[in-house]
Amino acid sequence: MQKTYFGFGIAPSMFPSNCTIRKQTLTVEQAKEVIAGGVVSCLNPSHKASIDVMQTRFGISVEIPPKAPSVVVQSGERALVMGVSGLPRLENRHEYTQEEVAGAKFSFALFTVSE
């Protein structure tokens, strides 16, 4: 079975130098199905407030590694990303208000890598 990584963002360094990346937008239900199939968590534990929102708003729970791993998604593997927009940066506090969460937009995308 191919590995599926899960995190809140992607970076160019996560992919081989020369590859094709296919992006597929997923519903929350589809994302939950992918997660239920098993994922390698790439979450950064310092993003606890966003992880809390993921758990409370969507009922999604994944392992939180002690530190964010460095990942290279190889051919045949994929990365599931939960994108978050509209949440302010947390400065001098550790969680979002209900109003901030209600106003935020969340999206799920699956990036599949091939040669």
Side-chain angles (χ1 to χ4, degrees):
M1 178 64 186
Q2 65 187 2
K3 275 188 192 171
T4 301
Y5 298 93
F6 175 75
F8 291 155
I10 59 171
S13 61
M14 290 177 64
F15 301 102
S17 305
N18 294 302
C19 68
T20 300
I21 303 167
R22 183 176 68 101
K23 178 185 175 189
Q24 177 185 3
T25 301
L26 302 183
T27 65
V28 174
E29 292 74 26
Q30 290 170 321
K32 285 180 167 184
E33 286 177 24
V34 171
I35 292 167
V39 295
V40 177
S41 176
C42 302
L43 294 175
N44 185 331
S46 71
H47 295 161
K48 182 174 178 353
S50 297
I51 294 167
D52 290 346
V53 169
M54 175 188 75
Q55 293 171 334
T56 56
R57 184 160 177 171
F58 299 110
I60 294 173
S61 211
V62 297
E63 177 188 350
I64 302 166
K67 68 182 195 111
S70 293
V71 170
V72 176
V73 184
Q74 300 295 335
S75 181
E77 297 179 337
R78 30 192 214 171
L80 175 61
V81 176
M82 183 179 106
V84 183
S85 62
L87 285 177
R89 291 223 179 257
L90 289 178
E91 295 179 16
N92 303 319
R93 58 190 178 119
H94 300 290
E95 55 190 43
Y96 296 110
T97 66
Q98 289 182 336
E99 293 77 21
E100 288 168 338
V101 172
K105 290 186 174 34
F106 300 87
S107 61
F108 293 89
L110 188 63
F111 297 85
T112 304
V113 175
S114 59
E115 291 183 29

